[in-house]
Amino acid sequence: MSAYIVHMTSLTDLDRRLLSALREDGRAPVASLARTLGVARATVNSRLERLLATGTIVGFTARVRDEVDPLAIHAIAFIAVEGRSADKVIRQLRGFPEITALHTTNGGWDLVAELRTESLGGFDQVLGRIRGVEGIVNSETSLLLSSVLR
């Protein structure tokens, strides 16, 4: 099985086109995907099975229109960490329910956090809590106003 998984880590053009179609409509029927991609339904089924088995596709989710999303304030926070305290900071930030994703990065910042809150007041509070985490020496946060591509 491990040789199979290693083999599937590199995506083919068809895999990429299938993933793109699923990002557009994760509930699209296999027959519709097959027509869109110009391949047989069995091909789409086998590709989906492999992408799931290898962990390339980790799940399916519902996307909610921004204007009806109860967590209406969206932001990106860039975070600088002191010395070698990144692991400790990451452990603390994982406990913040307002942080929907946390990434390590290169360049001038050590971490990038995606934030969602219900209000500007909640946003202000979470920023204060983030800045209060021991080991964080600087941060810069930008509100996301509208999504033009997802």
Side-chain angles (χ1 to χ4, degrees):
M1 181 72 173
S2 62
Y4 173 71
I5 290 173
V6 170
H7 173 70
M8 281 307 296
T9 56
S10 61
L11 298 176
T12 66
D13 179 61
L14 179 57
D15 294 330
R16 286 185 187 87
R17 291 188 304 128
L18 175 57
L19 291 171
S20 177
L22 288 170
R23 282 187 193 106
E24 194 66 31
D25 181 3
R27 295 183 60 187
V30 170
S32 174
L33 291 168
R35 272 191 309 279
T36 299
L37 300 171
V39 298
R41 288 187 318 203
T43 301
V44 171
N45 276 325
S46 67
R47 293 294 174 127
L48 278 172
E49 288 174 18
R50 281 184 269 166
L51 292 168
L52 285 163
T54 60
T56 301
I57 295 177
V58 295
F60 297 89
T61 187
R63 292 186 325 203
V64 179
R65 264 192 350 252
D66 288 342
E67 61 270 16
V68 295
D69 188 349
L71 299 178
I73 307 298
H74 303 243
I76 299 291
F78 301 94
I79 300 168
V81 175
E82 179 179 48
R84 297 181 181 206
S85 60
D87 289 340
K88 186 173 108 177
V89 168
I90 289 169
R91 278 193 301 275
Q92 290 180 56
L93 292 177
R94 281 185 177 157
F96 285 54
E98 301 89 351
I99 296 178
T100 59
L102 186 61
H103 313 274
T104 58
T105 187
N106 66 332
W109 301 100
D110 301 302
L111 301 171
V112 175
E114 298 177 38
L115 309 170
R116 288 185 175 218
T117 63
E118 293 181 17
S119 66
L120 286 174
F123 176 71
D124 188 38
Q125 288 175 357
V126 75
L127 282 182
R129 290 184 12 243
I130 288 171
R131 291 179 182 136
V133 170
E134 187 177 336
I136 292 180
V137 294
N138 195 13
S139 68
E140 180 178 320
T141 305
S142 295
L143 290 174
L144 303 177
L145 301 177
S146 64
S147 297
V148 294
L149 177 66
R150 283 196 193 198

